Amino acid sequence: IVQIYGQNLASTTGTANAVPLPNAMSGSSVIIGGMQAPLYYVSPGQIDAQIPFELQSGQQYQVIVLANGALTTPQPIQLSAATPGLAAGPDSTLIAQHSTDGSLVSQMSPARAGEYLVAYLAGLGDTTVPVASGAASPSSPLAQPSNTPVLTINGAQSPIYFAGLTPGLVGLYQINFQVPAGLPAGNITIVVSQNGQVSNQTVLPYQP
């Protein structure tokens, strides 16, 4: 999932409200490596798009925005096999849910020792089950990353019980994990690495 910034990228604001995602909205489309990219959101100053799964990692491609018949100057983008990024708030607090009721982990509802959480990511790359660009991720069989990610909590590796595309959504990955016991109360640090690439560092409120 990428965000493209500029001027006059679309005539009006538009948001995809169904899957598969459209390849054009508000008179605009994004072409990456000669392929139309599925679009989540367009506006005059920003476009959110999905890099097509069909493109090859390790290659450089050109990105072009077509807006109302006008083309932007091509811009290069380098694709890697995986570039994990954890979803987090502006203060780096990890966006994670309690698996029991789906509520968000927060200072008022911290993670507890031994409980299972679900965190969300982007950029985990190819999956064991092919998924068409713009299409909803399958629930059976589940689409798991071809390159296995590694989760660390306060610098120590922690088991991952599931990693893969979130069923029913487009381009969003999730990691299900158990919060270990024996950590000091306060914010714990969570990082994901994959294929030699390290995600952003996030924090999560924790109570033993």
Side-chain angles (χ1 to χ4, degrees):
I1 301 172
V2 293
Q3 293 179 321
I4 301 168
Y5 296 96
Q7 294 179 334
N8 302 316
L9 298 180
S11 57
T12 59
T13 297
T15 302
N17 52 21
V19 292
L21 296 181
N23 290 330
M25 277 197 294
S26 300
S28 296
S29 59
V30 175
I31 302 167
I32 304 177
M35 299 187 64
Q36 283 191 305
L39 303 177
Y40 299 91
Y41 169 84
V42 301
S43 71
Q46 176 182 332
I47 293 179
D48 297 349
Q50 182 188 32
I51 295 178
F53 273 119
E54 293 82 2
L55 298 177
Q56 299 297 309
S57 62
Q59 301 293 319
Q60 186 179 84
Y61 295 99
Q62 297 296 320
V63 179
I64 300 171
V65 175
L66 172 62
N68 295 312
L71 294 170
T72 62
T73 302
Q75 298 291 327
I77 186 172
Q78 180 72 35
L79 300 188
S80 61
T83 309
L86 285 160
D91 61 353
S92 296
T93 297
L94 181 68
I95 296 175
Q97 293 175 304
H98 299 282
S99 61
T100 51
D101 60 6
S103 63
L104 287 175
V105 177
S106 65
Q107 293 290 343
M108 299 299 295
S109 180
R112 299 284 182 174
E115 78 164 320
Y116 292 89
L117 301 180
V118 180
Y120 296 95
L121 311 88
L124 297 189
D126 286 342
T127 55
T128 52
V129 176
V131 180
S133 297
S137 304
S139 57
S140 181
L142 293 167
Q144 302 182 59
S146 300
N147 295 296
T148 304
V150 174
L151 173 72
T152 58
I153 300 178
N154 281 3
Q157 186 170 337
S158 187
I160 293 174
Y161 292 91
F162 170 72
L165 287 167
T166 301
L169 300 182
V170 180
L172 182 68
Y173 301 82
Q174 70 180 66
I175 284 181
N176 299 9
F177 64 98
Q178 186 178 27
V179 181
L183 301 176
N187 284 339
I188 58 177
T189 302
I190 295 180
V191 174
V192 170
S193 58
Q194 185 190 25
N195 201 44
Q197 300 293 319
V198 181
S199 75
N200 51 315
Q201 181 173 292
T202 64
V203 295
L204 198 65
Y206 169 85
Q207 283 291 335

